[in-house]
Amino acid sequence: MLHPAHYVLRHATYDDGDAIRRLAALDSSRAPQPPVLIGEIDGRPAAALSLSDGHAVSDPFRPTAQLLSYLRVRSNALRAVDAEPSLRRRILAVVPSRLRNPAAA
């Protein structure tokens, strides 16, 4: 089991391109398409997950099953946040239409 102090989940940056390609080569797979989440173990990239299509790659020589699960949970959480209407839209949804634009009345 991964101890929280030993892993990090983060958004990939341009500088992570080589690490993502290395993980894909180790996994005998294609590199995930951006945007990508990276999972690090002890400061080194060990898994990567595409936020656009869910394709994942990982280092087969490291214990990454749990890390991949964490990446998928984080991906689902980010997707849920994106699907939630903004605070403004939620407030406007409960305001009667005649009060939304008083200048038009």
Side-chain angles (χ1 to χ4, degrees), residues 20-99:
I20 293 169
R21 286 187 290 278
R22 181 185 65 78
L23 289 172
L26 286 171
D27 202 14
S28 300
S29 184
R30 65 178 172 84
Q33 296 299 308
V36 173
L37 284 178
I38 295 268
E40 295 180 346
I41 299 175
D42 294 327
R44 294 188 53 217
L49 174 78
S50 170
L51 293 173
S52 61
D53 66 9
H55 176 66
V57 294
S58 62
D59 184 337
F61 303 107
R62 301 185 78 187
T64 57
Q66 190 174 13
L67 183 62
L68 284 167
S69 293
Y70 292 150
L71 286 170
R72 287 186 180 95
V73 167
R74 181 66 178 148
S75 173
N76 289 337
L78 291 170
R79 199 171 299 115
V81 167
D82 287 343
E84 179 72 22
S86 69
L87 177 60
R88 180 180 186 277
R89 291 184 77 174
R90 287 182 278 156
I91 290 171
L92 286 175
V94 298
V95 173
S97 59
R98 70 181 195 289
L99 297 177

